[in-house]
PDB file of all heavy atoms in Angstrom:
ATOM      1  N   ALA V  19     -84.272  21.617  14.044  1.00  0.00           N
ATOM      2  CA  ALA V  19     -84.138  22.825  14.872  1.00  0.00           C
ATOM      3  C   ALA V  19     -83.985  24.092  14.005  1.00  0.00           C
ATOM      4  O   ALA V  19     -84.487  25.120  14.340  1.00  0.00           O
ATOM      5  CB  ALA V  19     -83.015  22.701  15.865  1.00  0.00           C
ATOM      6  N   ASN V  32    -115.645  27.737   9.736  1.00  0.00           N
ATOM      7  CA  ASN V  32    -116.345  27.985   8.469  1.00  0.00           C
ATOM      8  C   ASN V  32    -117.806  28.335   8.643  1.00  0.00           C
ATOM      9  O   ASN V  32    -118.553  28.488   7.655  1.00  0.00           O
ATOM     10  CB  ASN V  32    -116.130  26.913   7.451  1.00  0.00           C
ATOM     11  CG  ASN V  32    -116.634  25.561   7.911  1.00  0.00           C
ATOM     12  OD1 ASN V  32    -117.614  25.446   8.664  1.00  0.00           O
ATOM     13  ND2 ASN V  32    -115.967  24.497   7.496  1.00  0.00           N
ATOM     14  N   PHE V  56     -92.354  19.561  -2.807  1.00  0.00           N
ATOM     15  CA  PHE V  56     -91.942  18.717  -3.887  1.00  0.00           C
ATOM     16  C   PHE V  56     -92.119  17.233  -3.564  1.00  0.00           C
ATOM     17  O   PHE V  56     -92.297  16.810  -2.449  1.00  0.00           O
ATOM     18  CB  PHE V  56     -90.472  19.015  -4.243  1.00  0.00           C
ATOM     19  CG  PHE V  56     -89.505  18.480  -3.215  1.00  0.00           C
ATOM     20  CD1 PHE V  56     -88.904  17.210  -3.348  1.00  0.00           C
ATOM     21  CD2 PHE V  56     -89.119  19.231  -2.135  1.00  0.00           C
ATOM     22  CE1 PHE V  56     -88.014  16.746  -2.424  1.00  0.00           C
ATOM     23  CE2 PHE V  56     -88.250  18.774  -1.157  1.00  0.00           C
ATOM     24  CZ  PHE V  56     -87.665  17.503  -1.350  1.00  0.00           C
ATOM     25  N   TYR V 110    -103.655  35.573  -2.894  1.00  0.00           N
ATOM     26  CA  TYR V 110    -104.765  35.230  -3.840  1.00  0.00           C
ATOM     27  C   TYR V 110    -104.471  35.746  -5.248  1.00  0.00           C
ATOM     28  O   TYR V 110    -105.256  35.528  -6.129  1.00  0.00           O
ATOM     29  CB  TYR V 110    -106.091  35.808  -3.343  1.00  0.00           C
ATOM     30  CG  TYR V 110    -106.715  35.019  -2.220  1.00  0.00           C
ATOM     31  CD1 TYR V 110    -106.561  35.401  -0.927  1.00  0.00           C
ATOM     32  CD2 TYR V 110    -107.376  33.817  -2.490  1.00  0.00           C
ATOM     33  CE1 TYR V 110    -107.136  34.692   0.138  1.00  0.00           C
ATOM     34  CE2 TYR V 110    -107.952  33.058  -1.412  1.00  0.00           C
ATOM     35  CZ  TYR V 110    -107.819  33.505  -0.129  1.00  0.00           C
ATOM     36  OH  TYR V 110    -108.339  32.791   0.881  1.00  0.00           O
ATOM     37  N   THR V 114     -98.274  30.765  -8.020  1.00  0.00           N
ATOM     38  CA  THR V 114     -97.133  29.840  -7.853  1.00  0.00           C
ATOM     39  C   THR V 114     -96.766  29.254  -9.204  1.00  0.00           C
ATOM     40  O   THR V 114     -97.534  29.292 -10.139  1.00  0.00           O
ATOM     41  CB  THR V 114     -97.504  28.719  -6.878  1.00  0.00           C
ATOM     42  OG1 THR V 114     -98.662  28.016  -7.350  1.00  0.00           O
ATOM     43  CG2 THR V 114     -97.733  29.246  -5.481  1.00  0.00           C
ATOM     44  N   SER V 126    -110.629  15.875  -6.582  1.00  0.00           N
ATOM     45  CA  SER V 126    -111.849  15.097  -6.800  1.00  0.00           C
ATOM     46  C   SER V 126    -111.817  13.750  -6.113  1.00  0.00           C
ATOM     47  O   SER V 126    -112.831  13.084  -6.005  1.00  0.00           O
ATOM     48  CB  SER V 126    -112.092  14.933  -8.290  1.00  0.00           C
ATOM     49  OG  SER V 126    -111.021  14.307  -8.929  1.00  0.00           O
ATOM     50  N   ASN V 137     -89.162   8.664 -12.570  1.00  0.00           N
ATOM     51  CA  ASN V 137     -89.486   9.885 -13.395  1.00  0.00           C
ATOM     52  C   ASN V 137     -90.749  10.587 -12.904  1.00  0.00           C
ATOM     53  O   ASN V 137     -91.562  11.083 -13.693  1.00  0.00           O
ATOM     54  CB  ASN V 137     -89.625   9.483 -14.841  1.00  0.00           C
ATOM     55  CG  ASN V 137     -88.330   8.875 -15.436  1.00  0.00           C
ATOM     56  OD1 ASN V 137     -87.244   9.362 -15.108  1.00  0.00           O
ATOM     57  ND2 ASN V 137     -88.503   7.900 -16.318  1.00  0.00           N
ATOM     58  N   PRO V 146     -86.737  31.931  -4.989  1.00  0.00           N
ATOM     59  CA  PRO V 146     -86.478  32.295  -3.576  1.00  0.00           C
ATOM     60  C   PRO V 146     -86.536  33.794  -3.260  1.00  0.00           C
ATOM     61  O   PRO V 146     -86.626  34.158  -2.058  1.00  0.00           O
ATOM     62  CB  PRO V 146     -85.031  31.756  -3.367  1.00  0.00           C
ATOM     63  CG  PRO V 146     -84.949  30.618  -4.355  1.00  0.00           C
ATOM     64  CD  PRO V 146     -85.668  31.085  -5.540  1.00  0.00           C
ATOM     65  N   PRO V 153     -91.714  33.815   5.932  1.00  0.00           N
ATOM     66  CA  PRO V 153     -92.752  33.591   6.935  1.00  0.00           C
ATOM     67  C   PRO V 153     -93.430  34.888   7.342  1.00  0.00           C
ATOM     68  O   PRO V 153     -92.837  35.992   7.210  1.00  0.00           O
ATOM     69  CB  PRO V 153     -91.953  32.985   8.110  1.00  0.00           C
ATOM     70  CG  PRO V 153     -90.549  33.409   7.883  1.00  0.00           C
ATOM     71  CD  PRO V 153     -90.354  33.515   6.388  1.00  0.00           C
ATOM     72  N   PRO V 198    -109.817  16.088  18.976  1.00  0.00           N
ATOM     73  CA  PRO V 198    -110.512  16.793  20.054  1.00  0.00           C
ATOM     74  C   PRO V 198    -110.899  15.812  21.169  1.00  0.00           C
ATOM     75  O   PRO V 198    -111.115  14.636  20.961  1.00  0.00           O
ATOM     76  CB  PRO V 198    -111.767  17.371  19.332  1.00  0.00           C
ATOM     77  CG  PRO V 198    -112.057  16.409  18.200  1.00  0.00           C
ATOM     78  CD  PRO V 198    -110.664  15.911  17.775  1.00  0.00           C
ATOM     79  N   CYS V 200    -111.303  15.646  25.908  1.00  0.00           N
ATOM     80  CA  CYS V 200    -110.899  16.147  27.216  1.00  0.00           C
ATOM     81  C   CYS V 200    -109.405  15.871  27.459  1.00  0.00           C
ATOM     82  O   CYS V 200    -108.987  14.713  27.412  1.00  0.00           O
ATOM     83  CB  CYS V 200    -111.713  15.499  28.329  1.00  0.00           C
ATOM     84  SG  CYS V 200    -111.228  15.987  29.982  1.00  0.00           S
ATOM     85  N   PHE V 210    -106.720  10.208  26.601  1.00  0.00           N
ATOM     86  CA  PHE V 210    -105.303  10.268  26.471  1.00  0.00           C
ATOM     87  C   PHE V 210    -104.831  10.572  25.006  1.00  0.00           C
ATOM     88  O   PHE V 210    -103.765  11.112  24.794  1.00  0.00           O
ATOM     89  CB  PHE V 210    -104.613   9.019  26.966  1.00  0.00           C
ATOM     90  CG  PHE V 210    -104.739   7.843  26.029  1.00  0.00           C
ATOM     91  CD1 PHE V 210    -103.742   7.574  25.096  1.00  0.00           C
ATOM     92  CD2 PHE V 210    -105.876   7.035  26.078  1.00  0.00           C
ATOM     93  CE1 PHE V 210    -103.869   6.499  24.239  1.00  0.00           C
ATOM     94  CE2 PHE V 210    -105.993   5.977  25.209  1.00  0.00           C
ATOM     95  CZ  PHE V 210    -104.993   5.708  24.297  1.00  0.00           C
TER      96      PHE V 210
END
Side-chain angles (χ1 to χ4, degrees):
N32 59 33
F56 71 95
Y110 284 99
T114 55
S126 58
N137 299 323
C200 174
F210 75 93

